[in-house]
Amino acid sequence: MIHPRHDYEDHGQGQVFRFFDQLNSEQQDALTREASAIDLGEVARLFETLVRNPSGGNEALADQLEPADFIPLPRNGGDAAKWREAFETGEAALRSGRVAAFTVAGGQGTRLGFDGPKGTFPVTPIRRASLFQVFAEKIGAASVLYGKPIPWFIMTSVINHEETVAFFERHGFFGLNPERVHFFSQGLMPAVDEQGKILLADKGSVALSPDGHGGSLRALVRSGAIDRMEADGVDTISYFQVDNPLVRCLDPAFIGFHLLAESEMSSKALPKVAPEEKVGVFCRDGSGRDVVIEYSDMPERLATERDAAGELRFRAGSIAIHLFDRDFVRRLGSGGDAGAELPFHKAHKKVSFVDEAGVVIAPDEPNAYKFEMFVFDALPFAKNPVIIETAREDDFSPVKNAEGSDSPQTSRDDQLRQYARWVKAAGIELETDDTGLPTVAFEITPGFADTEAHFVESVKSSREPIVIEEETVLI
Ligand code: UTP
């Protein structure tokens, strides 16, 4: 077999093996393995088409964009009977065991700056339960409610895989059956410098990073997760991100709308609060396909346009909650269909690297390009896509940044506001401020209730009267 070193030299990437002769044989083998897994042709093509010669602006395309249709909530004019039918259809699907939960947790969480996989971040107000624990409890509660253990697939990356699995083991899988929790790692892509040269993280390893949440589709296929779903009778995948503790991991109405429409990919949308809010927007492109346009690609004149009622015309924001049909994922994730492959995007980032002298440099400014796929790029390939409106306060409060917006503080407050709404709906007195934030901090675990309706029922059937005080935890 030809050593990949020659291939790298032929592709102008010989620097990857610059220190090869200084490595011991184990390190040499490791670098060789890493290098063999990289598709040099793909790296060259991405650098050429995304960095060196990016196709010009998409103003012409933008001219043809229309807002995508979405199904409004009943409180905003949606048909309540349709929502009820969808809810019942979704519940039947959950009872029949055809739905799996799927969390993408392969990201690096650099903005949060937490030392450990993001899913292990303590997020709830009193117990300080981790994001993973919150999801585990929601999935566990749904499994009890629907009488079927709901499988949970978790995508990691090699950077956080072992730590993630060890965390679950240490916590007894939070009461879930370990045989129903499946971990797999996503793919990696090398970072390149401004000239397209692959960077080394140290003398014996390439600067690799996860290939984006869009990498989840091919990782589901490559890891065998899709085969396992098929063997277990699962045909519907409920996709959510690891950073959002409010997410309804298995939402019956959403599942119902998806199944009733025979949709291959469905999405939840939130009305944007302001044009500058940093979420992608669901649009319909010139050929009538639904697409998500990133906020940075949305021309300002469209982002700020208002309709006759004074609402933002392009307001359906994407919050990374989707349902996938299993066979659609198999098709897209195996790159089988001509043209049906997710595109890569570039990100200009700071990446530590080894310089020619073998010294590790941590740059102050972006020095490298990373290549990532985005899961919402699957949307235009899907048949019968469905978009439904959701309520921010019941579905979305992510932990992205260490401080400020979308931070542990805002997410904690949003959890408290949700508990407070449920408590008031059950007729229990509770003092809140103008924003709905209770004046005492307390917690409702998903095992007690994970929707307002369940909470009201649980309170009714509770033998003891429910009293909410500082640090109350309802389990
Ligand atoms: P983000 O886009 O917020 O990225 O990911 P991130 O890596 O978590 O955080 P920053 O940007 O470094 O601060 C959104 C979701 O997609 C997952 C993340 O784990 C998170 O659930 N993701 C992201 C992956 O699973 N793989 C990736 O390659 C990127």
Side-chain angles (χ1 to χ4, degrees):
M1 194 186 94
I2 304 173
H3 195 273
R5 188 173 185 166
H6 302 296
D7 205 20
Y8 271 65
E9 277 156 10
D10 291 348
H11 277 84
Q13 298 285 11
Q15 76 286 351
V16 167
F17 289 91
R18 181 180 281 137
F19 305 106
F20 196 69
D21 300 332
Q22 299 174 25
L23 305 175
N24 65 33
S25 66
E26 235 169 75
Q27 293 166 324
Q28 287 187 339
D29 286 350
L31 180 60
T32 305
R33 256 197 318 277
E34 242 176 43
S36 309
I38 295 170
D39 180 342
L40 291 177
E42 181 172 65
V43 174
R45 180 175 56 78
L46 293 176
F47 186 73
E48 185 57 34
T49 54
L50 296 177
V51 183
R52 210 195 312 260
N53 264 317
S55 52
N58 42 11
E59 268 297 293
L61 285 178
D63 272 345
Q64 301 169 14
L65 290 177
E66 291 291 327
D69 287 339
F70 62 87
I71 299 170
L73 285 169
R75 70 176 191 212
N76 294 332
D79 180 341
K82 288 241 166 70
W83 277 82
R84 245 189 330 274
E85 185 195 357
F87 185 86
E88 282 159 17
T89 306
E91 286 212 310
L94 287 161
R95 270 194 294 274
S96 70
R98 56 191 282 206
V99 187
F102 176 37
T103 309
V104 286
Q108 292 174 296
T110 37
R111 283 170 289 172
L112 183 60
F114 172 62
D115 187 17
K118 209 191 232 186
T120 67
F121 184 77
V123 77
T124 69
I126 308 297
R127 292 184 305 158
R128 315 291 297 135
S130 63
L131 285 153
F132 281 137
Q133 178 167 353
V134 172
F135 305 138
E137 290 175 341
K138 290 187 184 198
I139 293 164
S143 301
V144 171
L145 185 65
Y146 297 113
K148 273 268 153 65
I150 294 168
W152 186 14
F153 290 80
I154 300 171
M155 184 177 81
T156 61
S157 80
V158 289
I159 300 160
N160 65 19
H161 186 84
E162 279 176 24
E163 246 186 291
T164 301
V165 176
F167 185 76
F168 274 79
E169 285 170 351
R170 230 176 18 254
H171 291 91
F173 286 72
F174 307 102
L176 296 177
N177 178 352
E179 284 174 18
R180 307 293 283 173
V181 184
H182 310 288
F183 302 93
F184 61 92
S185 283
Q186 68 178 113
L188 297 167
M189 286 294 284
V192 300
D193 70 10
E194 314 272 346
Q195 278 70 47
K197 302 284 183 200
I198 293 174
L199 292 169
L200 286 176
D202 56 52
K203 289 182 177 178
S205 63
V206 177
L208 293 168
S209 51
D211 59 2
H213 37 66
S216 60
L217 302 187
R218 62 189 194 187
L220 277 165
V221 175
R222 286 179 186 170
S223 67
I226 283 289
D227 293 331
R228 163 148 230 145
M229 288 179 189
E230 187 157 3
D232 290 348
V234 166
D235 64 4
T236 304
I237 305 169
S238 183
Y239 170 108
F240 54 93
Q241 301 191 153
V242 76
D243 52 20
N244 178 16
L246 281 194
V247 69
R248 305 194 51 196
C249 307
L250 299 147
D251 180 345
F254 186 35
I255 295 167
F257 276 120
H258 170 81
L259 293 174
L260 287 168
E262 297 186 16
S263 161
E264 288 188 320
M265 175 174 176
S266 300
S267 311
K268 283 193 179 177
L270 267 189
K272 285 178 64 170
V273 282
E276 54 281 358
E277 197 184 354
K278 291 185 172 170
V279 291
V281 176
F282 291 104
C283 299
R284 180 147 298 168
D285 73 8
S287 43
R289 300 173 314 174
D290 284 354
V291 293
V292 172
I293 304 291
E294 275 189 276
Y295 60 86
S296 48
D297 290 343
M298 194 76 184
E300 201 187 329
R301 91 193 133 72
L302 296 187
T304 53
E305 201 179 329
R306 297 203 176 253
D307 61 18
E311 298 211 60
L312 289 174
R313 196 163 159 256
F314 289 87
R315 62 176 174 279
S318 171
I319 49 170
I321 301 176
H322 303 285
L323 288 164
F324 288 100
D325 171 65
R326 184 199 65 220
D327 292 337
F328 173 63
V329 172
R330 189 190 288 288
R331 202 171 81 226
L332 258 193
S334 35
D337 284 9
E341 270 207 312
L342 296 194
F344 275 93
H345 300 255
K346 66 168 183 230
H348 200 203
K349 296 264 167 122
K350 290 187 270 186
V351 175
S352 297
F353 66 100
V354 174
D355 71 5
E356 284 172 31
V359 179
V360 177
I361 309 283
D364 298 325
E365 297 295 326
N367 63 314
Y369 289 95
K370 290 182 174 183
F371 301 108
E372 293 191 352
M373 287 177 275
F374 299 156
V375 76
F376 53 72
D377 281 331
L379 192 56
F381 297 110
K383 290 194 197 100
N384 310 328
V386 169
I387 303 168
I388 70 164
E389 183 185 1
T390 189
R392 180 182 303 267
E393 63 274 19
D394 283 329
D395 237 336
F396 190 60
S397 186
V399 177
K400 296 270 186 205
N401 306 306
E403 282 171 12
S405 62
D406 295 342
S407 65
Q409 181 68 43
T410 55
S411 186
R412 171 188 182 275
D413 289 353
D414 287 339
Q415 292 171 65
L416 286 168
R417 288 189 186 96
Q418 185 181 55
Y419 305 149
R421 284 194 307 279
W422 295 358
V423 165
K424 288 186 174 184
I428 301 170
E429 265 193 40
L430 184 72
E431 202 185 322
T432 53
D433 72 8
D434 296 350
T435 70
L437 193 63
T439 49
V440 292
F442 64 104
E443 188 164 331
I444 301 170
T445 68
F448 188 85
D450 75 341
T451 61
E452 181 176 302
H454 291 157
F455 183 78
V456 172
E457 264 171 47
S458 299
V459 169
K460 272 197 202 132
S461 57
S462 164
R463 271 186 256 130
E464 309 276 315
I466 304 280
V467 182
I468 305 292
E469 290 169 342
E470 182 68 26
E471 302 213 343
T472 296
V473 176
L474 297 178
I475 294 172

